[in-house]
Amino acid sequence: MLKFTAIITFLLSVSTAQVTVPFELELRTRLVNDDKTMVNIQITNLMDKPLDYVEGFVIEKSFNKELIDEKRLVLIYGYEPPLQKNFSTTRSISFQKPKTKNPNTYEFLVSKIRFIGESKVFTWHPEIGFIRID
């Protein structure tokens, strides 16, 4: 009976476990002077650990989902104050306006994260979670 209870408890804990989102990323675009697209990326820390460094890539794709360009963007530098829980910061980057009538799409992919007081560097994937890369 004890084994059965342990197995049921394990299965219930696995089925109810959820991958929590460690931060919230919001991406907004705006047209500037009819020739540039400004992409604003805002990150909000939802974890109990302060973020010391966050880097990623802003990817520009055509209307047909073809890769046009990607640019590296650091959201939080190590020499800045760390991003505490429930606080946010914003950075901007510009792209040339597309020559076509259809607007391009943009997304931000996290490539490096470091927590305050740690030397380990992680990346983050929405389906897998944190992966140590250094």
Side-chain angles (χ1 to χ4, degrees), residues 66-133:
E66 296 171 356
L67 180 65
I68 296 173
D69 194 11
E70 67 179 5
K71 294 183 180 180
R72 178 180 167 266
L73 181 68
V74 178
L75 292 172
I76 304 167
Y77 288 93
Y79 56 80
E80 296 177 330
L83 189 63
Q84 301 293 330
K85 182 178 182 179
N86 295 325
F87 281 79
S88 61
T89 187
T90 304
R91 295 279 192 247
S92 300
I93 195 163
S94 65
F95 290 87
Q96 288 297 322
K97 180 184 172 193
K99 307 232 185 283
T100 62
K101 292 180 183 179
N102 297 326
N104 291 341
T105 59
Y106 302 89
E107 61 184 271
F108 183 77
L109 300 176
V110 175
S111 63
K112 292 182 182 178
I113 296 175
R114 191 174 60 232
F115 299 102
I116 188 77
E118 291 187 21
S119 61
K120 300 173 190 168
V121 178
F122 298 89
T123 189
W124 185 78
H125 189 275
E127 294 177 13
I128 300 170
F130 287 102
I131 303 166
R132 184 174 174 190
I133 58 174

Side-chain angles (χ1 to χ4, degrees), residues 5 8 18 23-25 28-30 37 44 49 52 63 66 79 86 91 93 96 99 102 106 108 118 127 131 134:
T5 306
I8 294 298
Q18 298 176 1
F23 44 82
E24 182 179 273
L25 288 169
R28 286 178 244 120
T29 60
R30 63 188 171 103
T37 302
T44 305
K49 293 181 175 185
D52 187 43
F63 184 73
E66 296 171 356
Y79 56 80
N86 295 325
R91 295 279 192 247
I93 195 163
Q96 288 297 322
K99 307 232 185 283
N102 297 326
Y106 302 89
F108 183 77
E118 291 187 21
E127 294 177 13
I131 303 166
D134 185 28

Side-chain angles (χ1 to χ4, degrees), residues 9-70:
T9 304
F10 174 75
L11 291 175
L12 285 175
S13 65
V14 169
S15 66
T16 59
Q18 298 176 1
V19 176
T20 59
V21 178
F23 44 82
E24 182 179 273
L25 288 169
E26 186 175 336
L27 191 133
R28 286 178 244 120
T29 60
R30 63 188 171 103
L31 191 60
V32 178
N33 296 334
D34 289 332
D35 67 339
K36 288 188 179 183
T37 302
M38 287 295 283
V39 180
N40 299 316
I41 295 100
Q42 178 177 326
I43 184 170
T44 305
N45 185 7
L46 302 177
M47 296 179 293
D48 292 330
K49 293 181 175 185
L51 297 173
D52 187 43
Y53 183 83
V54 177
E55 176 186 325
F57 290 91
V58 181
I59 297 174
E60 179 182 24
K61 292 184 180 179
S62 69
F63 184 73
N64 300 329
K65 304 292 183 198
E66 296 171 356
L67 180 65
I68 296 173
D69 194 11
E70 67 179 5

